Amino acid sequence: MKVLGISAFYHDSAVALLDEGVVRFAAQEERFSRLKHDPDFPRQALASCLDSTGVALADIDHVVFYEKPLLTFERLLETYFAFAPRGLRSFCTAMPRWLADKLYQKRNLLTGLHEFDPDFDPARLLFAEHHQSHAASAFYPSPFDESLILTMDGVGEWATGTLAVGRGAKIEVLEQLSFPHSLGLLYSAFTYYLGFVVNSGEYKVMGLAPYGEPRYCDQIRAKLIDIKEDGSFRLNMAYFDYCTGLTMTNWRFHRLFGGPPRQRESPLEQKHLDLAASIQLVTEEILAKLIGAAVAKHPQKNLCLAGGVALNCAANGKLLSSGVVERIWVQPAAGDAGAALGAAYAVHHQFAEQPRHRGPGFDGMAGTYLGPEYGSDEVRERLTALGAVFETLPEPELLARTCDALEQERVVGWMQGRLEYGPRALGSRSILGDARSPRMQRTLNLSIKNRESFRPFAPAVLEEKAAAWFDLDGPSPYMSFVTQVAAAQRLPVDPEADAQAKGLKKLEILRSTIPAVTHVDGSARVQTVSAATNPRFHKLLSAFDARTGCPVLVNTSFNVRGEPIVCTPEDAYRCFMATGMDILVIGEHYLVKDQQPASAAVPYVPAGGLD
């Protein structure tokens, strides 16, 4: 049985194809349209899916949408009526969009599907619930036969979070949190207040948190949220505007924290760092209580996570180190893009009652390398058409030349194999650097990525050597957990100098032998690299380790600020030529910046603007 899952019309639209329960293809529309978080019908992603797999839409048994739009419309109407007469302006803004378009999402889906199959039967189109999709995406591809499942995000229909248990091919929902009480929306409110973009900038808040002190936790607990011992909570809606307004927070929230929201691109002050630290700590506290109470009531050794909150890898790391469960698996595409895959799983296992098939790997995600790929001949033709200057090298020489460049602290664009599914580059569409360089973090942020200087970078490390470099027990292939750099790799830090360094000044202190991937609290968001899922990246790390004694490289996504991760060779070359990158490796093709035609170096402006 073949099932196609679709997420669309809100943000991060995507498609995913299951064939007899095995993921054949999954990708976000933004990678093709070049519009970050593209919400439109995933036309180009679907075309790539069908082309890559050789499957026609007519061959697919069921197409499933990741949520139920009518339930979402019901929630909007009931919320406006409950808060009336407040929210008239928001109501007048939202209703025309719903009545003209969003209310007819079934029609819009069928219109898009009929472009690929004019005879597509509407009876083949199904709808899953939003958190059903998240829960299915968390459990079914996981390596566990039995597990607790926690899903948390902003909101989907009515649910903002669910606790479930998965056994075999069955998922049983145990508890549900409902709108407007939402941990995801609480975190997004602080994202908005700190001057970042909601549904995009939450990871910036997480990255900013270690620079601050959690001075505002008492105000948050006293005024914004009532947290029970079992982790359940209620928000004080007097401080929020998202139910009836056009913003996340209101004047009471602003007065509580001493002023209006920070303007985007304005300087970060100590208050902003401390607010980030505070909401991060409160989030970790809530999750710890929720999982602790859940395990006490429903004893399980395993935990699966999905939903936007599951992308908070700092909180995930705290849960993992707490020992409340033995093993945690996080869906790498935990947000709405991954719900396309979850919806397909829900149809396969819950609607069609098919057994589970995880495939031969660590889990069912194939390392997330699930998008399109480009063969050597095709890459050669495309690069030639661009006027690019390149060499095609045998693999040993390719790896040696790349190691040469990395040792010289040059920045390498690395494009290999199938495109990753989800928000993180994992060695298929990556920018690489020497983790030992104290200059690399600043170079990558300011000269390559064109983003804020405080943002940390992740290490990619050989799976078999990870324990010697990080406090990590077991694989972490998807950068799902923040952990500490191992004691053997830490450098002595003067406590007085560390205490005197405030805010972003903490960046100037070297804390480990791999400073480019060590955050100011001594932590790192680790990716362990396996020879089974990404053999060429594993070979590169092995070659670098043999030469330097360090099996770690900086791994950041191959894009610049405001742009999705690159998809095609053309995307990669354009990004390479528009930034300070030194080397580009696509398959076995090796490009040096200084050898490229001057006409190819054009300023890059992302289609979606800065983010």
Side-chain angles (χ1 to χ4, degrees), residues 33-85:
S33 69
R34 312 310 301 155
L35 297 174
K36 196 168 184 180
H37 304 300
D38 192 340
D40 289 343
F41 179 83
R43 188 169 287 99
Q44 295 181 72
L46 178 53
S48 180
C49 173
L50 301 179
D51 180 64
S52 298
T53 60
V55 174
L57 187 58
D59 300 328
I60 292 172
D61 298 280
H62 297 289
V63 177
V64 55
F65 192 60
Y66 78 123
E67 65 179 11
K68 295 185 174 180
L70 290 180
L71 288 180
T72 302
F73 187 61
E74 174 190 80
R75 187 244 308 161
L76 287 172
L77 288 179
E78 289 196 22
T79 300
Y80 283 126
F81 289 148
F83 283 88

Side-chain angles (χ1 to χ4, degrees), residues 267-289:
L268 286 162
E269 301 172 1
Q270 187 63 44
K271 181 182 85 167
H272 303 128
L273 313 184
D274 294 344
L275 282 166
S278 301
I279 188 57
Q280 179 64 31
L281 186 61
V282 169
T283 297
E284 292 168 0
E285 173 188 316
I286 292 169
L287 290 173
K289 287 185 174 183

